[in-house]
């Protein structure tokens, strides 16, 4: 199966809208308009979406940004990594992960970071198979 990873031109709302169907599997709490609004806000903060298309549809996507931290230096933070459920086990997640790792090198990042939900066992296998370490707990608190 031949496919290509492409960066989405997020300056056009329709391109963001095309990504919603696959993102909705990872972010089911967002409706399409909220997704578009959040992506536009995050793009203003350096967020980039890369996708794999098949037959004109987005079948896998990654959202990431470059950040600087005292703890790690310059990192590529992987916000989102999604494969359409019907395309699982087709190697798309691994292809995107490899592409993201290359982007981190191209962008001169020291490390690649991500957070993952405890329940995402398939994703954990992918991350561990790609050399990630379980190195910390991410804590959060709702405000308001």
């Amino acid at each position: 199966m031949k496919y290509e990873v492409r960066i989405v031109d997020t300056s056009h709302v329709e391109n963001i809208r095309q990504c919603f169907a696959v993102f909705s599997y990872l972010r089911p709490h967002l409706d399409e308009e909220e997704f578009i609004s959040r992506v536009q806000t995050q793009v203003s903060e350096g967020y980039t979406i890369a996708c794999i298309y098949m037959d004109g549809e987005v079948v896998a996507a990654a959202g990431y940004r470059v950040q600087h931290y005292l703890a790690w230096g310059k990192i590529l933070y992987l916000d989102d990594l999604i494969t359409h459920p019907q395309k699982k086990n087709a190697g798309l997640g691994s292809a995107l992960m490899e592409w993201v790792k290359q982007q981190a090198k191209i962008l001169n990042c020291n490390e690649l970071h991500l957070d993952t939900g405890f329940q995402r066992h398939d994703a954990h296998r992918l991350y561990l198979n790609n050399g990630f370490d379980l190195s910390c707990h991410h804590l959060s608190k709702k405000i308001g």
Side-chain angles (χ1 to χ4, degrees):
M1 174 179 357
K2 187 169 177 8
Y3 43 80
E4 177 185 1
V5 178
R6 294 192 314 234
I7 292 178
V8 175
D9 178 359
T10 52
S11 66
H12 299 286
V13 172
E14 273 313 304
N15 295 341
I16 299 170
R17 192 178 310 280
Q18 284 182 341
C19 299
F20 175 70
V22 76
F23 270 85
S24 68
Y25 293 107
L26 182 63
R27 308 289 181 216
H29 61 287
L30 298 176
D31 65 27
E32 188 173 276
E33 294 310 311
E34 183 67 15
F35 170 75
I36 291 168
S37 175
R38 288 187 185 197
V39 167
Q40 289 172 323
T41 298
Q42 289 179 208
V43 163
S44 74
E45 299 168 345
Y47 183 76
T48 300
I49 298 174
C51 290
I52 295 176
Y53 296 83
M54 287 183 173
D55 300 323
E57 286 188 42
V58 175
V59 294
Y64 63 92
R65 63 184 93 209
V66 173
Q67 299 178 322
H68 295 85
Y69 290 89
L70 292 175
W72 308 297
K74 184 179 181 182
I75 69 163
L76 189 149
Y77 183 82
L78 184 59
D79 292 65
D80 311 290
L81 183 68
I82 317 102
T83 300
H84 190 289
Q86 293 177 346
K87 302 293 183 183
K88 294 272 186 198
N89 301 318
L92 301 176
S94 292
L96 269 174
M97 181 59 72
E98 194 56 41
W99 188 89
V100 168
K101 288 192 288 189
Q102 285 305 114
Q103 286 300 114
K105 288 179 185 177
I106 289 166
L107 296 168
N108 296 312
C109 295
N110 301 12
E111 298 181 12
L112 173 57
H113 284 237
L114 60 85
D115 289 313
T116 182
F118 288 112
Q119 76 286 2
R120 300 194 65 229
H121 303 293
D122 289 342
H124 301 161
R125 275 191 293 282
L126 174 67
Y127 304 144
L128 293 172
N129 287 338
N130 275 276
F132 281 80
D133 296 319
L134 295 170
S135 58
C136 68
H137 291 280
H138 176 92
L139 305 173
S140 65
K141 177 170 180 36
K142 293 204 184 288
I143 305 296

